[in-house]
Amino acid sequence: MTFEQMLERVRYEGAYPTRARAEEAVRAVLAAFGRRLTGDERVELAARLPHEAALCFTAEIPDNEPVTGWGFVKDLASRTGGTAATTRWDTGTVLRIVAQLAGDDLLDRILDQLPPGYALLFGRAELTQTPTASPSLVGAGAPTGTTTL
């Protein structure tokens, strides 16, 4: 996929009125996401992105401070001056395209590296484990660890 094709897909899927608005979202989200990802996954993802997108993604030095998916959206909104709702839309639109370019195996490894909340930004359900009930509650009919959405 070329950068132009990526922009057109983001524009179409995000229902942006102009190509320039789609490009603004792509550049902002990729730069912010580049601050969150490290290691081999960062290198592999950059290699799968169109060249210009990879430059945006790798332009910033990764920040080792873990930030949840919602924290990522709030941080990006404060940096761009957008609202949390529009930034969430931009993030989801761009990262869904990134997920397609990454492929399932790489995306699984990326999500394993990140704190909770990012799977939803990539268009995936995020399953979490509830804590196991204490032994004293198990006999009282309490669940012993269930999966929730």
Side-chain angles (χ1 to χ4, degrees):
M1 176 183 295
T2 67
F3 187 64
E4 297 300 320
Q5 290 169 326
M6 182 182 193
L7 293 179
E8 283 306 312
R9 289 201 46 207
V10 168
R11 181 179 179 192
Y12 176 77
E13 291 186 25
Y16 294 106
T18 65
R19 182 185 169 282
R21 177 62 186 97
E23 184 171 354
E24 179 183 309
V26 166
R27 290 181 182 281
V29 170
L30 287 177
F33 191 59
R35 287 191 296 273
R36 297 289 140 222
L37 197 59
T38 61
D40 292 340
E41 291 78 15
R42 177 182 169 92
V43 174
E44 281 187 56
L45 181 58
R48 295 182 190 193
L49 294 173
H51 180 71
E52 197 166 341
L55 292 176
C56 295
F57 175 68
T58 58
E60 304 242 358
I61 297 171
D63 183 356
N64 291 329
E65 176 94 20
V67 175
T68 64
W70 179 238
F72 174 82
V73 170
K74 291 190 314 186
D75 178 61
L76 183 55
S78 71
R79 290 174 186 263
T80 62
T83 66
T86 58
T87 303
R88 171 60 181 91
W89 181 265
D90 292 347
T91 302
T93 301
V94 173
L95 291 183
R96 280 191 309 274
I97 303 299
V98 168
Q100 293 166 6
L101 292 169
D104 288 337
D105 291 340
L106 177 56
L107 185 57
D108 288 342
R109 292 192 343 254
I110 288 170
L111 292 173
D112 284 345
Q113 184 187 121
L114 296 168
Y118 283 87
L120 294 173
L121 298 176
F122 283 96
R124 284 190 171 183
E126 185 159 0
L127 301 177
T128 59
Q129 287 284 25
T130 57
T132 302
S134 68
S136 63
L137 295 177
V138 173
T144 59
T146 58
T147 303
T148 60
L149 286 177

